[in-house]
Amino acid sequence: MTVTVESEPALRTVSGRRLRDLVLDRTGDAGLAHEVDVVSQVLPFKVSSYVVQELIDWDRAPDDAMYRLLFPHRDMLLPDDFAAVELAMRTQDRAGLRQTVDAVRDRLNPHPGDQLALNVPQEEDADGWGLQHKYHETLLVFPRQGQTCHSYCGYCFRWAQFVDRSDLRLAVSGPEVMTAHLRRHPEITDVLLTGGDPLVMRTELIEQYLRPLLRPEHDTVQTVRIGTKAVSFWPHRVLAGREADELLRLLSALVDAGKHVALMLHLSHPAELDTDAARAALRRLAGTGAVLRSQAPVVRHVNDDPDVWAQLWKDQVRNGVVPYYMFVERDTGARRYFGLPLARALEIYRGAIKGLSGLGRSARGPVMSASPGKVAIDGVVNLHNGPAFALRFLQHRNPELVGRPFHARFDAEAQWWNDLRPYGEHDREFFGGAA
Ligand SMILES: *Cc1c(COP(=O)(O)O)cnc(C)c1O
Ligand code: SF4
């Protein structure tokens, strides 16, 4: 008798200089492959075999949306920086190239929103590294082994963690750092495991972080969220084999113990849900009793089109995913390539939701996860002194500022919170000034 064991296929990824060969092989375009080579010296890129085979339409590369999301492009760097790296690759030794690359990286604002300085819990010693307790109720946990992804998004605001400079890293060494912080902070109701992508970790490790939350002393934690793009980049993580089955059992155990488990799925484009593997992954995850929610930034070249978002949210609703956030691309990394004016992000959001039923309109957006808090751009209004953005904090370090409408002067070019100015005197308190 033969026994067939369905197991997870091995994850194979391509990164670094091998991306050049992949692009050359798939497109036959030597110029494009060279540009890929130069830009991947600076920004981290990695693709799984699954995205190469299932998600990218190679006949349409480099214009295909998933290609744009996943592959380096020369416009991601300033022309001078591109030229400097290209020259250094040709003429300098490793140390010289490294210096050039580091200088370019430093100009790409590796730590947007003062993440390191402001959000790492202050009462911790070096061990506190890797927790982010910015909002009262929610603790972000960055497990050390989860600081990578199955593939990398070109727009990732965590790109600095993925390049090999130790001064840019942010991660906790083990679950004890998390549980100790939770004991000191009973106000925390939500634990959000994030990265990178925590689902790159073996199930046994994920379990080391999540099992302790079942102890009575952590009854204060009602919700466990896991941020992931594995459904898009490596759905096999939850499809078959022991690792997958044990992960699903762990999620079920948390649900059975009365926790709310939410998978915060990063979904950028309808192509990501358009494979049998992705849809099967969603069904398996939902089968644990976990809630599936989605979030993604609106970015140029990938999803800067209301019809793309409308399709994305429709497909999500059909597949049991609750749209949660449409984010604005952060002020870091390849923003010159992916960034959009806030006014355009707003048009895309409104253009997308107007054709959907209420179940497709549950995403809040466009939202900036900025240094003081999460800000929703609700619209453009005409006030007595000219047009204004109507804004609202969904989250703020100071809960008193949450949920109150306020205004910024309209600016057609503004792309981020730092570009906005208070409209009137009474708006100043929202911008950190006196009321
Ligand atoms: C977005 C975010 C959260 C979660 O906010 P919700 O409004 O609860 O989804 C928590 N902490 C940080 C630092 C965040 O950026
Ligand atoms: S999945 Fe998230 S953390 Fe990973 S590369 Fe994409 S944006 Fe960054």
Side-chain angles (χ1 to χ4, degrees):
M1 198 178 91
T2 53
V3 179
T4 52
V5 180
E6 236 194 302
S7 64
E8 179 186 343
L11 170 68
R12 283 179 296 110
T13 61
V14 176
S15 60
R17 301 205 74 171
R18 284 163 60 224
L19 286 167
R20 171 192 56 183
D21 304 331
L22 173 66
V23 169
L24 186 60
D25 179 53
R26 292 285 178 148
T27 68
D29 185 336
L32 186 67
H34 168 69
E35 291 171 11
V36 162
D37 200 22
V38 175
V39 177
S40 61
Q41 298 285 331
V42 177
L43 292 164
F45 286 90
K46 174 166 80 175
V47 287
S48 68
S49 48
Y50 169 83
V51 308
V52 171
Q53 284 155 22
E54 305 273 342
L55 296 190
I56 292 174
D57 179 352
W58 285 100
D59 292 335
R60 298 188 55 243
D63 294 325
D64 175 62
M66 293 310 295
Y67 180 94
R68 295 283 203 163
L69 169 72
L70 290 157
F71 279 84
H73 192 284
R74 71 173 296 145
D75 294 344
M76 289 175 181
L77 302 183
L78 286 165
D80 285 353
D81 284 340
F82 183 92
V85 176
E86 192 179 39
L87 182 70
M89 287 168 75
R90 230 178 22 243
T91 60
Q92 292 181 355
D93 59 9
R94 277 175 87 92
L97 174 59
R98 173 115 189 174
Q99 242 177 15
T100 305
V101 165
D102 281 351
V104 173
R105 284 178 182 163
D106 285 341
R107 283 195 285 279
L108 295 174
N109 189 23
H111 291 299
D114 309 321
Q115 270 192 52
L116 292 188
L118 291 174
N119 302 328
V120 172
Q122 289 305 306
E123 74 265 39
E124 308 271 357
D125 51 15
D127 276 355
W129 209 235
L131 299 178
Q132 224 178 307
H133 189 189
K134 181 169 171 178
Y135 309 129
H136 213 67
E137 318 75 30
T138 307
L139 181 68
L140 263 53
V141 181
F142 300 77
R144 185 165 49 79
Q145 302 87 344
Q147 299 314 302
T148 180
C149 301
H150 297 102
S151 299
Y152 290 149
C153 310
Y155 56 66
C156 183
F157 67 93
R158 302 220 164 105
W159 65 274
Q161 289 179 48
F162 303 144
V163 298
D164 63 344
R165 293 175 66 191
S166 55
D167 60 319
L168 299 182
R169 274 177 189 266
L170 171 85
V172 306
S173 44
E176 304 73 30
V177 179
M178 174 191 80
T179 48
H181 191 81
L182 289 173
R183 274 194 290 272
R184 280 195 299 275
H185 293 277
E187 77 275 16
I188 295 172
T189 57
D190 285 39
V191 166
L192 206 171
L193 215 58
T194 183
D197 192 326
L199 296 193
V200 300
M201 297 195 291
R202 283 181 301 113
T203 300
E204 191 192 330
L205 261 167
I206 299 174
E207 192 141 9
Q208 285 175 23
Y209 282 87
L210 298 188
R211 280 273 172 207
L213 300 178
L214 294 175
R215 292 187 209 133
E217 60 172 340
H218 294 307
D219 272 351
T220 44
V221 176
Q222 295 156 16
T223 299
V224 178
R225 305 192 215 179
I226 302 174
T228 182
K229 203 171 174 62
V231 167
S232 307
F233 287 166
W234 188 238
H236 299 290
R237 176 66 182 87
V238 298
L239 279 184
R242 223 183 78 187
E243 280 287 301
D245 294 346
E246 283 176 1
L247 178 64
L248 298 182
R249 268 200 292 279
L250 172 64
L251 299 180
S252 296
L254 288 159
V255 172
D256 292 344
K259 305 284 187 196
H260 177 105
V261 177
L263 286 146
M264 310 303 290
L265 306 173
H266 175 180
L267 298 171
S268 319
H269 191 277
E272 292 166 38
L273 295 179
D274 200 20
T275 72
D276 293 340
R279 286 191 297 259
L282 293 177
R283 278 197 301 278
R284 286 204 97 196
L285 288 169
T288 65
V291 176
L292 312 181
R293 293 181 180 272
S294 73
Q295 53 192 25
V298 53
V299 292
R300 202 146 53 92
H301 302 303
V302 177
N303 58 20
D304 55 336
D305 176 347
D307 294 341
V308 167
W309 282 89
Q311 191 64 48
L312 180 60
W313 284 332
K314 267 188 227 166
D315 292 351
Q316 288 177 13
V317 170
R318 193 188 341 219
N319 287 285
V321 180
V322 184
Y324 188 55
Y325 277 130
M326 174 202 263
F327 285 123
V328 173
E329 162 72 350
R330 274 184 147 157
D331 54 339
T332 180
R335 195 186 46 171
R336 69 185 302 275
Y337 182 76
F338 291 111
L340 291 168
L342 299 175
R344 178 68 190 140
L346 191 57
E347 278 173 10
I348 294 167
Y349 176 81
R350 297 194 47 228
I353 60 163
K354 72 179 183 201
L356 301 179
S357 88
L359 296 189
R361 292 182 186 182
S362 52
R364 295 177 294 178
V367 171
M368 289 177 276
S369 199
S371 181
K374 277 198 171 62
V375 197
I377 303 140
D378 286 331
V380 177
V381 288
N382 276 306
L383 302 179
H384 56 287
N385 280 333
F389 283 116
L391 305 170
R392 187 167 44 103
F393 275 112
L394 303 177
Q395 288 284 5
H396 196 282
R397 293 166 192 287
N398 171 8
E400 295 306 315
L401 295 180
V402 170
R404 291 163 52 195
F406 66 103
H407 296 100
R409 266 182 265 156
F410 178 76
D411 175 347
E413 309 298 320
Q415 291 196 14
W416 192 247
W417 174 249
N418 299 343
D419 302 328
L420 298 179
R421 298 291 170 265
Y423 185 83
E425 275 307 309
H426 52 280
D427 296 309
R428 287 191 184 281
E429 65 173 311
F430 295 95
F431 289 82

